[in-house]
Each structure stands twice: as C-alpha cells, then as structure tokens.
Amino acid sequence: MNYPVVKGAAYALVQANSMLLYQGTTQITERLKNEQSEHLKALPEHLRSYEDAVSYPPNQAYIGNITPDQLKEIPHPWYENPLAGASRDGKYGEIMPEDEFFGLMKMVDSFDLVLLEEAFQAVVKEKLQSHPILKDIKEITKLDSTAHSADEIKKLVAEHDAQPLYFAGKLVGCVKKAHEFDEALSSEVMLGNLANKASAVLVLKHLLAKTDLNPEQVDYIIECSEEACGDMNQRGGGNFAKAIGEICGCINATGSDTRSFCAGPAHALVEAAALVQSGIYSNVVVVGGGSTAKLGMNSRDHVKKGMPALEDMLAAFAVHIGENDGVNPVIRTDAIGRHRIGSGASPQAVMTAMVTDPLDKIGYKITDIDRYAPELQNPEITEPAGAGNVPMANYKMISALAVKRGDIQKADLMKAVESIGMPGFAPTQGHIPSGVPFIGHARDMLLEGKLERAMIIGKGSLFLGRLTNLFDGVSMIIEKNSGVVEADTGFDQEQLRKMIAEAMRDFAKTFRE
Amino acid sequence: MDLENQARIKDLYDKYGKDDLIVVLGGAEPEASGLAAETVATGDPTFAGPLSGVSLGLKAYHIFELKDEIPADVYDEQVGMMEMVLDVDEIVNEVKTYRK
C-alpha cells in the first residue's frame, strides 16, 4: 500500500508578554474582579526577557535546536539552566520577539483593525524588511500605511474598547473591535484571531522556506487551532486556513478548519493523510497558530511559587503531508487509533482505544513502537499548577497497559517508561502539545535510522464546550519508509473485462446445473 | 477544584443534605485530590468558586479507598491500570486528612 508521508514540519514561537498581561484570560478575569489584585501587581515582576525565553531549553527543543533526548539531560529547573549559545533561529523555525510580531499582525490584518504608533511602526518595519522569510510577503507594504499617534491609540483603548499592545512598557498600538455590538467580533476576539493567523503565517512561511514545497504546490490547508472565527450569526464559520494560505501565496490551495480541542491537530493529520492517500490532493498542509487566551493561564501558581511566568509563548506548527516518495516516513493509515463514542471514559478505556486497538489491528505490540508522543506539555509549567507531569503520566499508563497485556513484566514498568518516553517541551497552548511537537524530531530520527516507528497521540477534553462529557483522542503511527513505492494500480479495463466474463460464466453455469 | 463541579456539588448538597452524600474523587495527583477534598469539606481555599467561604462538611473519598465496595472485575477494568501508575498511598493520605 502506498501510505502518505510526512514531508516536512515547522515550528515557531512568539514571546508575548504584553498579550499575557492584557489578553490572557486568567488576567482578564482577575482584572474584572479586582483591578488592584495582588496577582496583577506581582505578575510583571515575573515576566521573562526575550533572551531568557530564547535560551529556555524546552523552547530550543520546540524549534529543533536540541532534541528531546538532549533536553532530558539538562537539569531542572530548566529556567535556571539556560542553553548556552541558544539562537532565535532553529532547524524547524524561530522564536520571534513581540514587537516584530505586532508588525506581522498588522501585515496579516485585512480589515485595518491593528493600529501601530508611528515611531514603533517605523522600527518594526525595518526589522521585518530584513527578516529572511517575511520580507517577501507582499502585505509588508501595510507597514508603510498610516501609522497613528500615541494619543489616538490611547483614546481608542480608553474610550472605544480597543485592546492595548504594549512593548517595553510603552503603549505602542491597539486592536480595534470589528463591529459596534457583535461580541464575536469584539476587540478581544479579533486580537486573538489575528494573533492566531499571524503565528500560523509565520510557521507556514518557515515550512515553505525550510522544505522544497512551493506555495503554489499546496492543494489543501487544514487549520486546527482552538479559535473560532465568524460573526454573531456564524460564530465558528471559519476559514482560518484560507486566510493563512492567502498571505503565504498558496494560490492553488483551498482549505478548511478542523476542531476538536487539543485533539484537533491529530484529527487534521489523519484527514490530511486520507486526502493524500485517496489521491484527492497531492500536498496537504496541517497548520495551527497560537492562542493568546492561554497566555499566563497558570501564572497565579507560577507567581506564588516564585517562578518566572513561563506561559509567555504563543506556539505554532505546520506539517506537510504528501504522496509516498519512498524516502520520508509513512503514516500507517491502516492503524489509526480513535476514541470511539462508545469507548468509555476511564483512562484504561481511553488508552486501549487509542494505543492498543490500532496496534492489534496490524499485529504490533506496545513495545514495537520506539517512542510515544502523547500530550507533551512542559512539566515545569504544569507541575506547579497541580496538574502533574502530563507526558510522564501518559508513559506510565501506556507501560501499565503493556504489563496488563503481558507485553512486559511488571518489574520492567519504569524501564519501559524511560525508553518509550521523552520530556514534555511544548508550551501549554491547548492544541499544540498534543503529540505534534514531536513530528519534526521523529521525522529526522526516522530518516537517520534512529527510530523504526513512533506513535503520535492527540487527546481532547470536550467537556469544556459544555455539550458533552465525552473524551476525545486520535493516534497514528509514523514509520520508517520501506523505500518501495508501489506502481499506480488504478482502473484496469482488461482486468475488469475478464472479471465480468468470469462472473457471467458462473451465472450461466447455475442455469445448467 | 473546577468551578462548575463546585456548583454541582452545592446543588446536590442543597437537595440531599449532608448525611446521605459523599464525594468520590478520581484525581491523579495528591495535591489536587486534597484540594478537592478540602473544598467540599471546609470551602474553596482558592476563593475562586461557589464554595468560597461555604463549609459543606462533606466527606470525600478517593476511588482507591473504595476498592472493596466495587466488584473486582469492574474495578480492574476501570481503575486497575491507574492503580499501577499512581502514588496510591500518598493520594489516599492526602484525601483522608480532610475527613478528620
């Protein structure tokens, strides 16, 4: 069978301290309750510098400058053990500072909702004009258009519900609401959606720059973040995918948005694989931008524990799924794991549906998978907030399942945890940690022969939408390419004629008997 | 503890009272389980939800503590795997603290 392949993956981060303070929902709620709260007073002291965010080891793992295995060797707390010589530019993408990102938001804004202060806009324009992959976006000319005075921006924020954009302690811009009364187009929603679009554009541009995929070759884009774009009559109408593709010059692509909370990217990858394998499209890109709402989500706990506010990163990823080329790792579409509606909600039922059911389908044992990539949340962010080490919990569950199935001995449980796992290195941006951060590393390791196969697991908590208490999850196995590309076995007229003749002969025979 | 769950427990308390009601927890972490037990016993210590300053005096048990009450095959199917991976003693001790 010609399985679809993972042709490339890109990852980008944006440090977003201003958006953490003003658009992170934890801070918004706090401000509504008490503008003078202790948390709001203390939080600015806990914000990191851009340099600290760049040298933070998990961020370097996310953009591909170190592997998860190298990260494992760095002692905790990682925020006290910065990576020497860390770079903004990574093998898979980059870590962008917030000022440039505000400029990028203005570039991707089709409705003139992002306003930047004159002097700030001039500085940012210069920086983006020398950005290696963003300078050729034609919308960069938006940075030539009307800039605004500081007073105008101040007034819009104070009197017209515009969202403030700060940089280095100064109000440097704002995002206006897109409608007078429509809450689906409020300034808060528009800022979130524009930041999501801009970060997705950044990562898709990286994918196009770092692989041999040309924008014109992209047939379909599946966007899989957790935002909703639309007006009050169609709040989740979409379409982020086409909006992102438009900026990146994907003129031959169409696309759509796929949602399933944190499991969205895994669903999107399965859909992309299906579209390619069926022959409907040759090149499909799965892309997800970052979430401003989740910035500083657990910052109360981080502040209380005297740590830096580590949730200051907007994260984005893009993966290219293409036809079998005999080289790149394949997605085993005959062994897709899924949490069925009837699977049940106990952790055991969930893991069975997602991990062992697909393995059973193709006769693999749990130990036949070299690495599992479940929810890869950075434990340094989740542990202080009482949510534990999420990837570690998953590895223990998978290994316990292996014990229950007799794949390993109980005494070897922790040994298995050690060998199938990796430390979590993804920011807690909802859909981002769910398996996908490992795809870039997995692809490299499979190409280098360091792995035979890996499993990507996406999980989602659907109860958050208050429509169902069901759990959700999807998994897929990525495997080393056998190197064999099967010839196209399309429609064979001769063979069909023979089959019909044979069937008619059999039919005639029944009359003779 | 989730604010929605706090509201649900408060509603159930109003309907059934304290004597015929226990709270069964399934938390994976000692700290979070203890926090939930504390919330239904003496009120939300984070002062974020409907049980802030509300002392329901409800007793909370972790599902690990109720093993003997559950048919063995059901327990094994639903909880067996997690029992193998979580720190059962630490979780149970933490939850117990709030029943004293």
Side-chain angles (χ1 to χ4, degrees), chain A residues 198-497:
Chain A
S199 53
V201 163
L202 175 65
V203 81
L204 180 50
K205 287 291 286 178
H206 272 289
L207 181 76
L208 295 167
K210 291 183 190 299
T211 64
D212 52 14
L213 178 69
N214 294 318
E216 299 83 11
Q217 290 174 309
V218 180
D219 299 308
Y220 201 77
I221 301 167
I222 307 177
E223 193 272 354
C224 57
S225 70
E226 296 182 290
E227 308 305 315
C229 145
D231 69 8
M232 61 177 141
N233 296 313
Q234 44 272 314
R235 282 171 296 178
N239 177 318
F240 280 97
K242 288 189 91 164
I244 295 158
E246 179 188 18
I247 306 284
C248 296
C250 304
I251 51 169
N252 295 313
T254 183
S256 62
D257 306 340
T258 282
R259 295 288 177 271
S260 189
F261 284 95
C262 311
H267 280 282
L269 285 164
V270 172
E271 289 162 12
L275 287 168
V276 170
Q277 190 168 342
S278 66
I280 295 175
Y281 300 121
S282 301
N283 293 296
V284 179
V285 168
V286 173
V287 64
S291 157
T292 53
K294 294 182 195 79
L295 291 165
M297 200 164 46
N298 296 294
S299 58
R300 273 199 207 99
D301 294 298
H302 298 154
V303 167
K304 264 186 219 151
K305 297 195 164 125
M307 297 166 51
L310 297 171
E311 287 168 306
D312 56 353
M313 308 309 292
L314 277 182
F317 80 96
V319 177
H320 171 203
I321 307 294
E323 290 163 335
N324 194 358
D325 53 6
V327 179
N328 279 294
V330 300
I331 296 177
R332 289 293 300 261
T333 48
D334 52 346
I336 299 295
R338 67 187 192 277
H339 180 265
R340 297 159 210 246
I341 289 174
S343 287
S346 73
Q348 200 161 320
V350 168
M351 289 317 245
T352 301
M354 291 173 57
V355 178
T356 54
D357 283 356
L359 292 178
D360 288 344
K361 226 169 143 188
I362 52 172
Y364 284 172
K365 288 194 290 190
I366 286 181
T367 44
D368 286 329
I369 302 289
D370 304 311
R371 292 295 176 96
Y372 289 83
E375 302 154 284
L376 292 174
Q377 280 97 340
N378 173 354
E380 221 159 73
I381 295 174
T382 55
E383 279 179 331
N389 184 333
V390 182
M392 183 55 88
N394 277 284
Y395 295 133
K396 284 182 181 169
M397 285 192 275
I398 295 167
S399 304
L401 213 51
V403 173
K404 282 186 91 67
R405 287 161 53 92
D407 289 356
I408 59 167
Q409 297 296 313
K410 194 172 178 188
D412 294 331
L413 194 143
M414 284 319 287
K415 216 161 78 187
V417 167
E418 191 71 12
S419 84
I420 62 169
M422 70 192 82
F425 56 93
T428 45
Q429 286 260 292
H431 56 298
I432 296 292
S434 237
V436 288
F438 185 55
I439 292 179
H441 291 290
R443 180 173 168 270
D444 284 349
M445 290 164 86
L446 287 157
L447 285 171
E448 290 160 14
K450 291 179 183 162
L451 284 187
E452 280 296 314
R453 55 189 73 91
M455 184 183 270
I456 305 296
I457 303 172
K459 289 183 179 179
S461 303
L462 306 188
F463 76 90
L464 294 165
R466 307 293 196 266
L467 284 183
T468 174
N469 273 310
L470 281 175
F471 182 82
D472 189 39
V474 170
S475 71
M476 77 211 70
I477 297 164
I478 302 180
E479 199 169 71
K480 197 166 145 184
N481 200 314
S482 67
V484 180
V485 180
E486 284 174 26
D488 186 4
T489 54
F491 182 67
D492 184 338
Q493 214 167 5
E494 187 54 32
Q495 200 181 355
L496 185 70
R497 199 175 297 142

